[in-house]
Amino acid sequence: MKKPALYSALLSVFIATGSIAQQIPGLDRSNYGGLYRATYNPSVLGGPKHKWQINIGTIGGSINYRYFRFLGENSLLYPLLAPHSTKELYGRSRTMGSLAYKDPIYLASEIRWPSAMISLGKYQGLALSFRTRGYAMANHFPEAIRNLYFHRLDTGSTPAVTNESWGDFSLVQQSFSDVSVSYGVQLLDLESHKVRLGGTVKRVFGARVGYLIGSVENFSIQPLATNPDVSELTVNNFGYETGFSTPNRSMSLGSLFNSDKYGSGWGYDLGFTYELGSYWGKSKEVFDESPEYLIRLGASLTDIGSIRYRTNDSKVSKGRQEQAVIGQTELETISDKGTEGFMSLFPSELDTTFNRNVRLPQAVHFEADIQLVKGFFLNLSQTKRFKERSGEILDIYQPNVFTITPRFEDEDSDFAFPISFIQGNNRPSIGAVGHFGPIFLGLSSVNGLWKRGGARGSMVYLGFSAWKLNRKKDKD
């Protein structure tokens, strides 16, 4: 299709966060990604392909194969629900899948609210975006503990364990929203050389964190003598610290901006892109605005900043028990009610308040995008944690990942097959993303949805957008 088009659709209630760093694989590499690439590299707004673009709505999360067997209400949004609900969170969390293999367990959800971008002439672009993101991460949980959580303690599916060592562990739930303004400019526009720069400033609000940091010398899982299908978890020499920045409360739009109730902060993104060559311009039609380059090089920093927690109703509790017994009822109480559920079960020896600064999921990205045939690209990209602080468990986690993405793109469609090598995973994640007119749909890891797959989870995506392309007559 070569006509300028206006597409619109309604936001679906089912299913996007992105290629591990909550980007959308395929679209975050596409020259036509617009708003979806701008969160990965804001320089795309310089000399934009779109005269204007609207993200009508995008939603998604990391799921496992159980999601399709036990479709729970809003299950994939579990990390976003934890601050505002206690309804069946245990069941919902068990339909989500980890994007990392074994350790850590890493879950993510995201909503991209209605957002818009507009071109400012031929060489500049401006975007306004709204996002809500949620994470849950568990570190150093033995296989037997993961198994009892997944299969429950009252189904007869939990093998017995005696005096198995454990050690230190942590469990963190985090969520926040941000509103961001992005700007891009094209500084160089020669036939074979093009340079673009971009930046984003974001205001973070509505942030909440809940956590449990503990140490267990050893643990046992044994069936009850009266009912062999029901087991109990016994932990020995159990020390713990648990806290929250604000208690679980119903969502109120006004209170999300209140720094006395929720964390807030600032962040920024920076991006650079260089395009070399114009070989593919030889076969272009008159109104063909597809890229001509042989190779595109890019670098960006995303989510550089922090969240400041100085809320009035925070709480931190510390304690120790020589021995503690946890059954299915206690397990569900902790899972549904989070840190407040844990505090209701285990006594505190010392109560304080939570006053911390927590870093956003800071990342640095490098990419090389090679146009092998007109409209067909091979993208090589590397995402790494940026300025990681040792021992800061509450800093929002960002996995290190190298991705190879074969991609076909034109004005109205994109098809990408990202192959991601996540640090710590024992096999690559093979994804598939399709963009058809106003709709995009995809998975970050098809193999992650197999019952015995490596990462045991996949991001799943669905979104709707509307746009009008920038034509030469519009630019001129």
Side-chain angles (χ1 to χ4, degrees):
M1 293 176 65
K2 296 300 178 183
K3 286 183 171 184
L6 171 63
Y7 295 101
S8 62
L10 294 175
L11 174 63
S12 167
V13 294
F14 174 69
I15 322 208
T17 196
S19 70
I20 311 306
Q22 287 194 297
Q23 308 298 336
I24 299 174
L27 293 186
D28 65 346
R29 309 298 195 263
S30 173
N31 294 288
Y32 297 94
L35 286 165
Y36 308 107
R37 177 165 167 77
T39 57
Y40 174 79
N41 190 327
S43 65
V44 70
L45 299 174
K49 295 292 185 184
H50 301 97
K51 187 172 184 178
W52 54 263
Q53 183 190 33
I54 297 173
N55 169 58
I56 298 172
T58 303
I59 185 172
S62 54
I63 63 173
N64 61 36
Y65 72 95
R66 289 174 59 92
Y67 185 87
F68 302 103
R69 294 175 56 193
F70 307 102
L71 287 175
E73 181 182 358
N74 301 324
S75 302
L76 77 168
L77 297 179
Y78 158 71
L80 298 178
L81 295 173
H84 307 291
S85 174
T86 59
K87 182 181 178 182
E88 299 178 0
L89 293 188
Y90 173 65
R92 293 174 178 180
S93 68
R94 291 162 65 233
T95 68
M96 295 199 72
S98 175
L99 301 176
Y101 180 65
K102 289 190 176 181
D103 194 45
I105 298 170
Y106 177 69
L107 313 178
S109 293
E110 177 186 23
I111 299 175
R112 298 194 180 202
W113 303 101
S115 305
M117 68 80 58
I118 186 171
S119 66
L120 305 174
K122 183 178 180 180
Y123 294 120
Q124 300 176 78
L126 189 68
L128 177 66
S129 300
F130 301 88
R131 302 168 75 187
T132 298
R133 291 180 269 177
Y135 304 86
M137 189 174 72
N139 280 291
H140 306 147
F141 277 72
E143 178 69 29
I145 300 297
R146 297 196 300 271
N147 182 71
L148 73 83
Y149 187 88
F150 196 68
H151 293 287
R152 302 176 59 97
L153 283 164
D154 57 0
T155 61
S157 302
T158 305
V161 173
T162 303
N163 292 332
E164 182 172 324
S165 60
W166 188 340
D168 298 333
F169 68 91
S170 63
L171 176 62
V172 183
Q173 295 175 331
Q174 296 161 308
S175 63
F176 63 93
S177 298
D178 68 75
V179 54
S180 63
V181 177
S182 303
Y183 170 78
V185 59
Q186 186 168 342
L187 299 178
L188 185 65
D189 186 20
L190 303 178
E191 182 179 3
S192 299
H193 304 276
K194 293 177 172 57
V195 174
R196 297 179 173 89
L197 296 177
T200 298
V201 176
K202 59 189 70 176
R203 176 59 171 171
V204 178
F205 62 93
R208 196 252 190 188
V209 59
Y211 70 94
L212 168 64
I213 299 173
S215 176
V216 172
E217 182 177 343
N218 58 65
F219 68 94
S220 299
I221 304 171
Q222 296 293 334
L224 298 181
T226 55
N227 188 346
D229 288 336
V230 177
S231 298
E232 288 182 335
L233 168 67
T234 303
V235 292
N236 297 310
N237 196 14
F238 180 26
Y240 47 86
E241 175 187 322
T242 184
F244 53 77
S245 59
T246 192
N248 185 294
R249 55 164 57 97
S250 298
M251 182 180 295
S252 168
L253 185 60
S255 65
L256 290 177
F257 296 91
N258 188 339
S259 295
D260 290 334
K261 294 183 177 180
Y262 291 96
S264 60
W266 293 91
Y268 68 88
D269 306 337
L270 295 173
F272 163 84
T273 301
Y274 169 66
E275 295 176 10
L276 173 64
S278 60
Y279 179 81
W280 299 110
K282 299 177 182 179
S283 58
K284 289 175 66 171
E285 300 175 17
V286 175
F287 295 107
D288 188 352
E289 296 293 327
S290 60
E292 303 174 1
Y293 62 80
L294 288 172
I295 185 170
R296 181 189 74 199
L297 301 176
S300 61
L301 293 170
T302 57
D303 287 320
I304 308 302
S306 62
I307 303 171
R308 183 177 183 269
Y309 290 101
R310 300 294 187 273
T311 51
N312 291 337
D313 45 8
S314 66
K315 184 178 181 180
V316 175
S317 296
K318 299 180 181 180
R320 176 172 292 277
Q321 289 198 338
E322 184 177 339
Q323 186 177 85
V325 178
I326 300 172
Q328 183 61 34
T329 299
E330 292 76 18
L331 183 62
E332 293 187 28
T333 297
I334 296 170
S335 300
D336 289 343
K337 298 181 179 181
T339 52
E340 291 169 89
F342 185 92
M343 290 177 183
S344 71
L345 297 174
F346 294 93
S348 173
E349 298 175 357
L350 176 66
D351 286 343
T352 58
T353 57
F354 182 82
N355 296 298
R356 297 277 293 275
N357 288 350
V358 173
R359 282 189 179 178
L360 295 170
Q362 299 187 161
V364 57
H365 314 271
F366 302 98
E367 67 165 338
D369 197 57
I370 307 164
Q371 190 167 191
L372 300 174
V373 179
K374 186 176 184 296
F376 180 75
F377 303 80
L378 182 66
N379 186 280
L380 309 176
S381 63
Q382 174 77 57
T383 292
K384 303 184 87 172
R385 291 186 289 275
F386 183 70
K387 290 189 175 180
E388 180 182 11
R389 298 191 296 182
S390 177
E392 293 293 335
I393 295 173
L394 300 185
D395 284 351
I396 301 176
Y397 180 71
Q398 166 59 59
N400 295 328
V401 56
F402 174 74
T403 305
I404 302 172
T405 308
R407 182 183 85 256
F408 168 82
E409 70 175 41
D410 65 15
E411 297 174 349
D412 301 312
S413 61
D414 291 84
F415 303 93
F417 303 92
I419 304 169
S420 301
F421 300 84
I422 304 170
Q423 185 179 26
N425 284 8
N426 62 349
R427 66 188 69 181
S429 299
I430 302 172
V433 180
H435 172 212
F436 315 91
I439 303 172
F440 62 86
L441 173 69
L443 300 167
S444 70
S445 177
V446 176
N447 54 315
L449 292 179
W450 298 343
K451 185 173 182 179
R452 300 186 183 279
R456 304 295 290 275
S458 170
M459 290 304 305
V460 61
Y461 319 84
L462 180 66
F464 297 88
S465 63
W467 73 88
K468 182 178 180 180
L469 289 171
N470 242 339
R471 300 300 187 186
K472 285 186 177 180
K473 62 181 181 179
D474 297 324
K475 296 178 182 179
D476 297 337

